[in-house]
Amino acid sequence: MPQSHPQRATEPRAHAERPARPRRDHPEPAHPRQRHGGPGPAGFRRPDSRFRQWVLRTSSRAVTNISELYRVHPAIWRWTARHFHPGLERFARLNAWMICQMANLDVPAYQKWLREHDFVFRWWKLDNYPETDKRGYVTRYSEDERCWNGEIVTIGTVVDESSGSSGTPFNWMRGKKEQRTIHSNVAGYVTLLFGSKRLFCLNAFSMGAWATGTNTGQAMSKIAMVKNTGPDLDKIVDTIRHFGPRFTYLVAAYPPFLKHLRDRLDQEEWFDWSRYRMNGFVGGEAMTEGLRDYVEERFGRVYSGYGASDLTIGMGGESDVSVWLRRSMYADDRVRAALLGPDETRIPMVFQYNPIETYLEINEHDEVVVTLNSTAIMSPKLRYNIGDEGRIATFPEVYAALAFDPELQRAFHRAFAVQRMKLPFLFLFGRKDSTISYMGANLYPIDVENGLYRDNPFAPSIESFKLALIEVGDHEQRPLVHVQLRSGASLDAAHRESLAVAAKRGVVSHLASVSRDFAQSLEEDASTADIRVEVHDFDTGPFAGGSTKIKNVYVVES
């Protein structure tokens, strides 16, 4: 981004014989964004602010250029992951501060956002910048206002799409440089897990405008042969039959689809698992350890990735040591208490992430706040609150937390020795806004509520509802809608069944009409419609003791 310097205005010479002409050499704005309608940087109140802006812009470029060296080749990414030092976390935080300040200099929407929050410049204080989010920041400002210099670079830019609770799709632009960054990160991570020798990726994520499907195919093409099949079992089976066992297959899909593929290949008489190298990489929803065990009876390795449409697909990923940590928390309450605290009963997903690329913070509400540390992001994400609940810990902190049992530390080290990534850990509990992720779609309480009352003759009998994901056997999960009847409502068994049928029909119909992600999954996999409904008397089951609460709680706590 070119620098600009304010030009000194000169007074036109006055002549007695004619009036002075209008001035044409007005001072150039202190920053190039002001030429495009931006208000200028926020928080500078001293006379030396212009010089300070120049220093910040120059130093910020230098820091971000240094941080981006590790993306040059997947081998450098792998080396960085294996030799990550906690001191690099401080460098990553500095880079995040630099990115935020560069946005203050060059992003019109962010300038307005900071002014609205009475931002005052402070050296090195990242948390001095207010959080951004989808509702408060993204929906309020246009796409070009949220870009560097207020300009959308069209050549090479790809637009991804995700659906919100209103049914109105969000469009997320990813420029050519940003895509290269994503591909570089994915390449480094995937080759660390699975290698790159004769790797053949079968991309079974939903295609179309959905971010994960399109981006996964593009990213994998940098390190592997790719076929974008979508979640089509027949197409994948035909592809494996055609190419045979000479490749290492990597199936990228939702967790349930990997289970369906395993079952289908078990039924194929021609397919011999011992002759094929099959691995899995999943995303879009949480994966249970029971499902992982079931799939890995046939597949070599299965890992989950963590990403979001409004940020990037490569925010974090599982490794052998992160999987070991999660399984250990299930098996040993001492491990869970040491890592999460004695009062935490939930078991989160566990990922490792690279702060140099994706700097994570946890705010006072235990929400994950993300800054993407790259100027290649055309519409920068700056202390962006994604709405997920989580905790973070460095590699040494996790190792030290297991010091109460030396055998556990030795087991931790054995798991670490597989990929040898010393990256910090993210313990992810899931969405904090009461949504449930299912088959690549987010199920919002407001949409479920609309569906419950849609053409439902029993709607007057409904008091409230809650959502859950339940195991339904055979390592499958399904959404469950718990419906609470009103106090005094009297429905016999037949009417309760009719209420459940009407509620399921309404919820599926409404979700299909407002969520393109859900509609796409429904078209590709009929089991998406298998949403369960259970009817409860007032103040019973998951609603017991809830009548005294002012606000409804929409998700059943596990």
Side-chain angles (χ1 to χ4, degrees):
M1 288 167 287
Q3 300 178 21
S4 63
H5 303 275
Q7 297 175 350
R8 182 178 300 170
T10 57
E11 289 291 340
R13 188 184 300 274
H15 297 276
E17 65 272 16
R18 65 177 185 270
R21 290 177 297 179
R23 292 171 57 178
R24 294 185 179 180
D25 50 349
H26 296 295
E28 183 178 345
H31 189 269
R33 263 308 314 129
Q34 297 180 51
R35 295 196 296 266
H36 299 278
F44 293 103
R45 297 178 178 177
R46 296 179 59 184
D48 65 346
S49 64
R50 291 183 181 178
F51 174 74
R52 190 183 304 177
Q53 291 173 39
W54 177 84
V55 171
L56 285 168
R57 187 176 287 109
T58 302
S59 58
S60 295
R61 285 200 188 93
V63 170
T64 54
N65 287 340
I66 292 172
S67 70
E68 291 175 359
L69 289 176
Y70 81 100
R71 302 191 192 100
V72 172
H73 192 275
I76 300 177
W77 192 100
R78 295 193 296 270
W79 188 92
T80 304
R82 287 171 170 168
H83 296 83
F84 191 88
H85 187 275
L88 289 174
E89 182 101 15
R90 292 189 291 273
F91 173 78
R93 185 177 180 86
L94 170 64
N95 193 18
W97 180 85
M98 291 287 192
I99 292 290
C100 288
Q101 187 51 45
M102 284 187 71
N104 184 23
L105 299 175
D106 293 322
V107 179
Y110 198 58
Q111 294 170 349
K112 297 176 184 178
W113 180 257
L114 293 181
R115 288 179 184 277
E116 289 179 3
H117 288 79
D118 298 323
F119 170 78
V120 177
F121 176 83
R122 294 287 185 271
W123 286 101
W124 322 129
K125 288 184 66 65
L126 178 61
D127 54 6
N128 199 45
Y129 294 92
E131 295 176 11
T132 60
D133 57 23
K134 185 185 294 183
R135 292 188 178 277
Y137 183 72
V138 173
T139 60
R140 287 184 57 194
Y141 302 107
S142 64
E143 278 83 1
D144 53 349
E145 285 185 299
R146 288 185 277 111
C147 292
W148 295 106
N149 296 322
E151 298 172 351
I152 298 174
V153 179
T154 56
I155 297 178
T157 295
V158 173
V159 180
D160 297 325
E161 181 180 291
S162 65
S163 293
S165 61
S166 66
T168 302
F170 284 89
N171 291 288
W172 309 104
M173 302 179 300
R174 307 190 196 279
K176 183 165 56 176
K177 292 182 180 179
E178 179 176 354
Q179 293 173 65
R180 284 202 300 265
T181 297
I182 293 173
H183 301 160
S184 175
N185 293 335
V186 173
Y189 172 68
V190 170
T191 54
L192 185 59
L193 295 181
F194 305 105
S196 58
K197 186 176 181 180
R198 300 187 69 79
L199 190 63
F200 190 173
C201 175
L202 300 175
N203 183 15
F205 285 117
S206 292
M207 294 295 105
W210 194 55
T212 299
T214 54
N215 268 318
T216 298
Q218 294 170 11
M220 292 297 185
S221 67
K222 304 299 180 182
I223 55 170
M225 185 162 70
V226 177
K227 185 171 182 180
N228 295 310
T229 61
D232 188 321
L233 285 172
D234 292 335
K235 192 176 294 185
I236 289 178
V237 170
D238 290 343
T239 300
I240 295 173
R241 186 206 299 264
H242 177 82
F243 285 96
R246 50 187 165 155
F247 296 99
T248 296
Y249 291 95
L250 176 60
V251 183
Y254 310 123
F257 184 83
L258 218 56
K259 185 261 181 188
H260 298 162
L261 179 60
R262 179 224 145 132
D263 293 341
R264 173 65 181 275
L265 289 174
D266 278 347
Q267 298 171 5
E268 297 291 330
E269 295 182 358
W270 60 270
F271 186 79
D272 182 356
W273 284 99
S274 64
R275 297 180 60 225
Y276 286 80
R277 297 183 300 278
M278 303 288 297
N279 297 294
F281 185 65
V282 300
E285 62 185 76
M287 185 178 195
T288 66
E289 292 308 311
L291 177 58
R292 192 198 310 270
D293 288 339
Y294 181 78
V295 173
E296 285 188 345
E297 289 177 0
R298 300 289 188 271
F299 282 68
R301 295 176 178 176
V302 177
Y303 302 101
S304 293
Y306 173 51
S309 299
D310 38 351
L311 288 165
T312 181
I313 66 171
M315 291 170 58
E318 288 184 324
S319 61
D320 276 30
V321 70
S322 73
V323 173
W324 180 88
L325 281 172
R326 190 184 189 214
R327 288 178 165 172
S328 295
M329 284 189 282
Y330 275 111
D332 192 334
D333 289 342
R334 299 177 304 161
V335 176
R336 187 194 66 243
L339 295 175
L340 305 176
D343 298 327
E344 183 56 73
T345 60
R346 297 170 298 171
I347 305 296
M349 294 287 292
V350 183
F351 301 102
Q352 288 187 274
Y353 70 98
N354 193 333
I356 297 177
E357 178 64 33
T358 307
Y359 188 77
L360 302 185
E361 305 168 79
I362 304 298
N363 67 14
E364 65 273 18
H365 305 296
D366 292 330
E367 295 165 330
V368 181
V369 178
V370 184
T371 301
L372 298 184
N373 274 353
S374 174
T375 55
I377 311 299
M378 186 169 65
S379 179
K381 304 303 185 294
L382 311 155
R383 301 203 74 227
Y384 188 91
N385 189 328
I386 193 175
D388 283 340
E389 181 183 358
R391 316 263 182 91
I392 55 178
T394 66
F395 187 91
E397 286 172 345
V398 171
Y399 183 76
L402 303 175
F404 64 88
D405 189 336
E407 180 55 38
L408 281 173
Q409 285 189 318
R410 285 190 288 270
F412 174 89
H413 192 271
R414 287 193 296 270
F416 156 76
V418 180
Q419 288 96 21
R420 308 197 307 279
M421 288 200 299
K422 291 187 176 181
L423 298 173
F425 294 92
L426 167 65
F427 300 91
L428 187 73
F429 293 100
R431 298 300 297 268
K432 207 171 183 184
D433 60 359
S434 300
T435 66
I436 284 179
S437 295
Y438 173 61
M439 297 297 285
N442 287 329
L443 309 188
Y444 293 84
I446 189 172
D447 293 329
V448 173
E449 185 173 42
N450 286 330
L452 281 176
Y453 297 111
R454 184 173 182 171
D455 300 325
N456 190 341
F458 299 96
S461 299
I462 298 176
E463 170 72 20
S464 62
F465 69 95
K466 287 187 176 184
L467 304 177
L469 275 175
I470 61 165
E471 294 274 354
V472 296
D474 206 17
H475 304 287
E476 298 271 7
Q477 283 188 318
R478 293 289 184 269
L480 171 61
V481 182
H482 292 281
V483 176
Q484 177 181 213
L485 296 177
R486 291 188 182 279
S487 178
S490 178
L491 298 180
D492 58 24
H495 285 112
R496 287 172 183 250
E497 178 64 23
S498 297
L499 186 157
V501 171
K504 173 183 176 179
R505 182 175 59 246
V507 169
V508 171
S509 178
H510 185 74
L511 288 173
S513 67
V514 301
S515 171
R516 296 185 184 180
D517 297 338
F518 185 85
Q520 182 74 20
S521 296
L522 187 62
E523 180 179 334
E524 295 169 336
D525 187 345
S527 67
T528 303
D530 188 12
I531 294 179
R532 311 294 175 90
V533 177
E534 286 187 7
V535 181
H536 304 267
D537 288 326
F538 182 79
D539 203 25
T540 63
F543 303 96
S547 58
T548 60
K549 295 183 179 180
I550 297 176
K551 292 185 178 181
N552 286 331
V553 178
Y554 291 107
V555 176
V556 176
E557 296 182 1
S558 57

